[in-house]
Amino acid sequence: MNVPTKLRRDGQSIRTLLLQLTLAVAMIFAATAVAAPAQAGPKPAPTGGTQAAVGSAAAPTAVPSGAKVLGKDSVFGPTASYSYSVYYYAPNYVEAYYTVYSGSVSFGVYCAGLGWYNLPYVGVGSWYSWIDCGAYGPATAFRFLTIG
């Protein structure tokens, strides 16, 4: 392409003007690409699980390092009887060690950005459950639901 090099009134050539215009468009494109945030996908759901409290999942004899005791009690009710110890690791992780003597129990944690996240019911036995609120944290409360 033959671009005329004739000077404009202010002394700038058309070729220089086109080069500056191309550079300006490229800079705008680059700035937009850098400034545009990456498309955020949906937050990952909280995670949790329950397993028999034996071996490495057995209840600790002392408060675990870095944990805060949220609750420790025994409940003897008409639908279920159980005892528990619940530990909190800031800001999103809660774990519970509990023994169900009768009925069935479900452990749940309130994740501030989601609401209650409950695990499946378990029956008689000793159990270890954990819930990580993840992006929906912090974890602010816990509960046990019972059926008998």
Side-chain angles (χ1 to χ4, degrees):
M1 180 169 146
N2 188 9
V3 178
T5 58
K6 190 173 185 180
L7 292 178
R8 291 183 18 191
R9 278 187 249 160
D10 61 1
Q12 188 176 34
S13 73
I14 294 174
R15 185 178 290 171
T16 305
L17 182 63
L18 288 174
L19 181 60
Q20 288 175 342
L21 182 62
T22 304
L23 184 59
V25 169
M27 290 175 62
I28 290 170
F29 177 75
T32 303
V34 171
Q39 288 292 338
K43 293 180 186 178
T47 56
T50 299
Q51 66 186 54
V54 295
S56 62
T61 55
V63 176
S65 177
K68 175 182 173 186
V69 177
L70 280 187
K72 185 173 183 146
D73 202 358
S74 294
V75 177
F76 299 98
T79 57
S81 295
Y82 58 96
S83 60
Y84 65 87
S85 293
V86 177
Y87 302 100
Y88 170 72
Y89 297 84
N92 301 329
Y93 188 83
V94 179
E95 63 184 19
Y97 297 88
Y98 51 104
T99 300
V100 180
Y101 305 108
S102 66
S104 295
V105 173
S106 168
F107 176 66
V109 168
Y110 191 84
C111 300
L114 177 71
W116 286 103
Y117 183 80
N118 297 299
L119 297 174
Y121 283 89
V122 294
V124 174
S126 293
W127 304 98
Y128 163 71
S129 293
W130 59 272
I131 294 176
D132 184 352
C133 290
Y136 289 96
T140 58
F142 73 91
R143 71 179 177 188
F144 287 94
L145 301 176
T146 61
I147 53 176

